[in-house]
């Protein structure tokens, strides 16, 4: 049996498609949401979900949560003396969902479509797939959460509509009925704010094809951060240094903050109560003061939205629908923010908590070619820019370490791009083509996925041309081909995207380099501000706009290297006005 799974930061769900309906399957407690929490009890038994969360409040050193943010990394979580990585912890959650589905469906569940944040990189996607395999599931597809949500909301009029009769089929079951209505061409923006990650995707539906035009996001902001903010406000109000609280009190504080935060959906004034150091404290908060404190978080949500609109070359009035997904979108401050930004009321026709799981289940129906649902062809995009390292001229000397984009982010995949480069030095006997992923203009700040070394005939600088071909497929596999033009010799490499790890020595060298840079004039506060603005705008841009920013930054770097105070002031003001014009 094939199921759809929403493996979330805060909560996870499993859903299936049968009898013409997508339906969320209740867990062993009769609830739709299974908290993504894992704990180990006194007997060494693994606890998952709500039980684990409750156990963790009492035993905070034996519980792990929000580990989805660490997928694809080497972070280790220690529970009661035992060590686990994020994949292994996710495996426990997936295994629990699998067992619940098997009991509900009365048959083995051996295959799944699992959703991930659209902004997950290749390492994180592969880690999610491995977690599914560890749980005994064949992961037939990784689907982006906003895309799944769009399917559940019936984008294009083709996918689904909510139905109430599903509740009779099981305790707490939520259903969405498939539809074969004539498709409607439309463009939508999916605003997906979950417990720990934020995604925004711009999708267009036409001729039974759902095409992703742009994705952006932040894997380190979600509902948990809005809860954490309220907890910090509470501590400040009662005069308690939060950093000095023990783990158990911290857990109780977060639980009280979560309860109070959720009450904002019902009232513009809430009371938060928590016992700290044996004394019970109770404080009132208004929605307006909470919203004011949330402004830095809301600003972090604004940036990915603006980036996705810019990448897709779409204006607000060209969007047919704004769809809210994720439990954190229930928060009034978030809904107000979306309404103000888009000048219209967003949609949440399907429960924000269940939309992604239902969409994944509908995708299961399409994969099984169920007669009750029309198939939708899904296109995807490359979430991050792929490129290599080159030497660039800044007008005075050749500056190494620059990033050369080859496949820009949000390029529809599968895709193949060719870039011709040449030797950078006289008497060069080989070239090293570094395979990089990221958005920084400097190669060292991007993720190194691998490298290819190829021999070249010795000669003067620029005499030998090298063709570099990047090919990125639907399975997130990157093939790199390096051809020496004069000899025709070709070297190929399929990047498996294992994480690049820095040794202690490399970390120490990086800190030394940063310490050295602090003595440079660029570390003057005013200079640093403009440099950081430029770096940010470069990362937010693509194509020709990136080249223009890179040239402006290189020019400013050249002036800084001369260390002439007056000239730096003039150049800084020129750069500031240029960056202002870009942001205007």
């Amino acid at each position: 049996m094939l199921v759809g799974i929403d493996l979330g930061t805060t909560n996870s769900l499993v859903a299936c498609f049968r009898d013409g309906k997508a339906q969320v399957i209740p867990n062993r407690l009769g609830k739709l949401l299974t908290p993504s929490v894992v704990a180990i009890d006194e007997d060494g038994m693994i606890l998952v979900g709500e039980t684990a969360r409750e156990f963790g409040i009492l035993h905070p050193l034996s519980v792990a949560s929000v580990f989805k943010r660490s997928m694809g990394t080497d972070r280790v979580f220690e529970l009661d003396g035992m060590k686990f990585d994020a994949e292994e912890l996710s495996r426990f959650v997936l295994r629990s969902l699998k067992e619940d589905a098997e009991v509900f469906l009365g048959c083995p569940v051996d295959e799944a479509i699992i959703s991930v944040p659209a902004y997950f990189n290749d390492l994180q996607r592969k880690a999610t797939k491995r977690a599914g395999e560890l749980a005994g599931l064949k992961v037939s597809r990784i689907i982006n959460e906003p895309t799944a949500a769009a399917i559940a909301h019936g984008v294009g009029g083709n996918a689904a509509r909510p139905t109430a009769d599903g509740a009779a089929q099981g305790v707490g079951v939520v259903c969405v009925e498939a539809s074969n209505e004539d498709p409607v061409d439309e463009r939508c923006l999916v605003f997906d704010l979950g417990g720990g990650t934020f995604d925004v995707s711009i999708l267009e539906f036409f001729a039974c094809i759902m095409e992703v035009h742009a994705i952006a996001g932040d894997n380190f902001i979600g509902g948990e951060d809005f809860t954490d903010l309220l907890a910090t406000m509470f501590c400040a109000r009662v005069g308690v240094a939060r950093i000095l609280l023990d783990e158990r009190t911290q857990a109780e504080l977060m639980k009280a903050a979560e309860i109070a935060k959720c009450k904002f959906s019902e009232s513009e004034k809430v009371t938060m109560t928590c016992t700290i150091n044996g004394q019970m404290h109770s404080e009132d908060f208004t929605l307006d003061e909470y919203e004011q404190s949330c402004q830095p978080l809301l600003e972090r949500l604004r940036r990915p939205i603006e980036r996705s609109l810019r990448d897709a070359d779409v204006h607000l009035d060209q969007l047919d629908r704004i769809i809210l997904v994720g439990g954190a979108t229930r928060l009034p401050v978030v809904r107000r923010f979306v309404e103000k930004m888009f000048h219209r009321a967003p949609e949440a026709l399907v429960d924000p908590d269940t939309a992604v799981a239902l969409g994944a289940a509908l995708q299961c129906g399409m994969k099984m070619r169920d007669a009750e649902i029309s198939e939708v062809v899904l296109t995807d995009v490359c979430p991050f820019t792929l490129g290599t390292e080159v030497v660039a001229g800044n007008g005075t000397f050749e500056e190494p370490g620059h990033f050369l984009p080859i496949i820009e982010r949000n390029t529809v995949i599968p895709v193949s791009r060719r870039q011709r480069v040449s030797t950078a030095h006289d008497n060069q006997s080989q070239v090293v083509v570094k395979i990089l992923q990221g958005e920084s203009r400097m190669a060292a700040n991007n993720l190194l996925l691998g490298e290819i070394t190829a021999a070249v005939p010795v000669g003067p600088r620029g005499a030998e041309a090298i063709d570099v071909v990047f090919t990125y497929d639907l399975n997130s596999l990157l093939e790199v081909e390096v051809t020496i033009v004069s000899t025709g010799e070709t070297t190929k490499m399929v990047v498996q995207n294992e994480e690049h790890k820095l040794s202690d020595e490399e970390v120490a060298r990086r800190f030394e380099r940063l310490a050295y840079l602090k003595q440079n004039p660029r570390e003057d506060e005013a200079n640093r501000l403009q440099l950081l603005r430029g770096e940010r705008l470069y990362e937010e841009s693509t194509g020709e706009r990136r080249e223009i920013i890179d040239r402006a930054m290189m020019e400013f770097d050249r002036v800084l290297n001369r260390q002439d105070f007056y000239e730096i002031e003039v150049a800084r003001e020129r750069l500031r006005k240029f960056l202002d014009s870009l942001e205007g």
Side-chain angles (χ1 to χ4, degrees):
M1 182 68 183
L2 174 65
V3 296
I5 294 177
D6 174 10
L7 182 62
T9 306
T10 305
N11 294 293
S12 296
L13 306 87
V14 59
C16 66
F17 187 88
R18 66 175 184 177
D19 302 325
K21 296 181 178 68
Q23 54 188 125
V24 180
I25 296 171
N27 61 24
R28 62 203 68 189
L29 300 176
K31 298 183 178 181
L32 300 180
L33 305 182
T34 297
S36 301
V37 182
V38 176
I40 298 181
D41 67 12
E42 301 91 334
D43 299 322
M45 182 175 292
I46 295 291
L47 304 176
V48 175
E50 192 170 346
T51 308
R53 185 171 61 188
E54 289 296 330
F55 183 84
I57 294 175
L58 300 173
H59 307 276
L61 297 180
S62 299
V63 66
S65 61
V66 199
F67 40 81
K68 178 178 176 178
R69 285 179 170 177
S70 300
M71 292 293 278
T73 73
D74 284 336
R75 183 181 173 185
V76 174
F77 296 80
E78 188 167 332
L79 281 65
D80 198 29
M82 300 179 66
K83 295 181 179 180
F84 303 94
D85 60 24
E87 286 179 27
E88 292 167 329
L89 294 171
S90 297
R91 177 259 186 194
F92 295 131
V93 175
L94 291 169
R95 182 74 185 182
S96 178
L97 296 174
K98 177 179 184 292
E99 292 171 355
D100 290 337
E102 288 175 337
V103 171
F104 179 82
L105 297 169
C107 65
V109 171
D110 53 10
E111 189 176 357
I113 292 175
I114 302 179
S115 66
V116 297
Y119 212 53
F120 256 24
N121 63 27
D122 297 336
L123 297 176
Q124 294 164 313
R125 291 168 188 265
K126 285 181 169 57
T128 302
K129 185 175 181 179
R130 285 194 296 269
E133 293 167 350
L134 288 172
L137 294 166
K138 174 188 175 185
V139 182
S140 57
R141 176 156 190 171
I142 296 290
I143 186 173
N144 287 338
E145 290 169 2
T147 304
I151 294 173
H153 276 80
V155 171
N158 181 65
R161 65 167 70 89
T163 178
D165 60 358
Q169 301 180 32
V171 179
V173 178
V174 168
C175 294
V176 167
E177 192 174 64
S179 170
N180 271 312
E181 296 176 2
D182 292 335
V184 177
D185 293 352
E186 59 182 348
R187 183 180 289 156
C188 71
L189 181 145
V190 180
F191 180 101
D192 183 359
L193 184 63
T197 59
F198 172 58
D199 278 324
V200 56
S201 293
I202 297 176
L203 309 95
E204 184 172 6
F205 187 97
F206 59 95
C208 292
I209 297 174
M210 186 175 290
E211 180 174 342
V212 179
H213 283 300
I215 60 177
D218 187 335
N219 290 335
F220 295 93
I221 186 173
E224 295 283 340
D225 299 282
F226 286 85
T227 303
D228 187 76
L229 174 62
L230 190 55
T232 299
M233 292 173 64
F234 181 84
C235 288
R237 185 77 66 83
V238 300
V240 172
R242 186 176 177 187
I243 194 173
L244 300 179
L245 301 180
D246 58 51
E247 289 85 355
R248 179 168 175 174
T249 304
Q250 289 273 16
E252 292 175 346
L253 176 67
M254 285 294 288
K255 183 176 181 180
E258 176 68 20
I259 294 171
K261 183 190 75 173
C262 293
K263 288 181 179 178
F264 274 127
S265 298
E266 306 166 356
S267 173
E268 294 201 357
K269 183 178 181 180
V270 301
T271 300
M272 178 175 166
T273 302
C274 185
T275 300
I276 299 178
N277 298 329
Q279 181 179 353
M280 179 172 287
H281 299 272
S282 184
E283 293 291 335
D284 294 332
F285 296 95
T286 66
L287 182 57
D288 286 341
E289 66 178 315
Y290 179 56
E291 183 175 17
Q292 185 62 37
S293 297
C294 286
Q295 289 308 309
L297 293 176
L298 296 174
E299 186 61 28
R300 286 179 61 185
L301 300 180
R302 180 187 301 276
R303 293 169 192 158
I305 294 172
E306 293 174 341
R307 175 186 289 189
S308 66
L309 291 168
R310 186 165 54 247
D311 285 356
D313 194 21
V314 170
H315 297 287
L316 294 181
D317 57 3
Q318 294 175 310
L319 295 170
D320 298 301
R321 302 170 67 180
I322 310 297
I323 296 173
L324 296 184
V325 184
T329 60
R330 297 179 186 276
L331 196 59
V333 296
V334 174
R335 296 209 171 197
R336 286 184 183 180
F337 164 76
V338 175
E339 288 181 9
K340 289 178 182 177
M341 185 167 187
F342 292 99
H343 310 296
R344 73 179 93 169
E347 299 179 23
L349 301 178
V350 179
D351 184 342
D353 284 317
T354 63
V356 171
L358 290 168
L362 285 164
Q363 180 65 24
C364 291
M366 295 174 196
K367 186 177 187 299
M368 295 185 294
R369 298 189 182 278
D370 193 289
E372 297 291 335
I373 186 169
S374 298
E375 185 173 359
V376 176
V377 178
L378 302 179
T379 72
D380 212 337
V381 295
C382 183
F384 292 90
T385 300
L386 297 164
T388 191
E389 180 179 346
V390 294
V391 173
N394 66 6
T396 302
F397 57 85
E398 297 294 314
E399 186 175 65
H402 278 255
F403 179 55
L404 174 66
I406 295 179
I407 297 178
E408 295 270 16
R409 69 168 184 265
N410 288 322
T411 299
V412 176
I413 58 175
V415 62
S416 185
R417 292 281 189 271
R418 179 185 301 270
Q419 178 70 51
R420 177 163 290 190
V421 295
S422 60
T423 49
H425 308 288
D426 292 333
N427 301 317
Q428 191 170 335
S429 60
Q430 66 178 22
V431 291
V432 178
V433 177
K434 292 185 178 180
I435 305 163
L436 302 168
Q437 174 181 316
E439 307 303 329
S440 175
R441 74 187 187 101
M442 303 309 295
N445 297 329
N446 293 319
L447 181 65
L448 177 65
L449 301 178
E451 58 183 44
I452 295 176
T453 301
V456 295
V458 175
R461 178 175 69 90
E464 290 296 328
I466 303 98
D467 281 344
V468 181
V469 180
F470 278 33
T471 303
Y472 195 74
D473 69 12
L474 289 171
N475 295 316
S476 298
L477 284 177
L478 173 64
E479 181 183 89
V480 179
E481 179 181 291
V482 175
T483 301
I484 309 304
V485 176
S486 65
T487 65
E489 293 185 8
T490 298
T491 306
K492 293 184 179 181
M493 176 181 181
V494 176
V495 180
Q496 299 298 330
N497 294 332
E498 294 184 0
E499 186 178 14
H500 174 59
K501 303 173 185 177
L502 293 175
S503 66
D504 291 340
E505 292 78 9
E506 288 172 311
V507 171
R509 283 198 295 271
R510 178 163 291 186
F511 275 116
E512 289 175 3
R513 180 172 61 83
L514 292 175
Y516 167 75
L517 290 176
K518 287 181 181 179
Q519 301 172 29
N520 193 284
R522 76 184 63 213
E523 287 305 310
D524 176 87
E525 192 67 26
N527 297 338
R528 186 178 183 187
L529 174 61
Q530 301 309 321
L531 286 169
L532 291 174
R533 286 185 68 201
E535 293 288 352
R536 173 176 58 79
L537 286 170
Y538 179 90
E539 293 189 12
E540 292 175 353
S541 304
T542 59
E544 184 178 359
R545 183 183 172 104
R546 268 189 168 174
E547 295 176 9
I548 296 172
I549 296 172
D550 191 29
R551 286 198 295 270
M553 297 288 287
M554 290 173 65
E555 170 62 20
F556 191 46
D557 278 335
R558 186 168 62 84
V559 174
L560 289 175
N561 288 330
R562 289 203 289 268
Q563 301 188 24
D564 183 302
F565 179 78
Y566 176 77
E567 189 178 11
I568 288 174
E569 276 197 332
V570 173
R572 182 177 65 236
E573 182 63 16
R574 184 166 59 245
L575 179 61
R576 184 191 65 78
K577 291 181 179 179
F578 167 68
L579 298 178
D580 285 345
S581 69
L582 292 180
E583 290 191 299

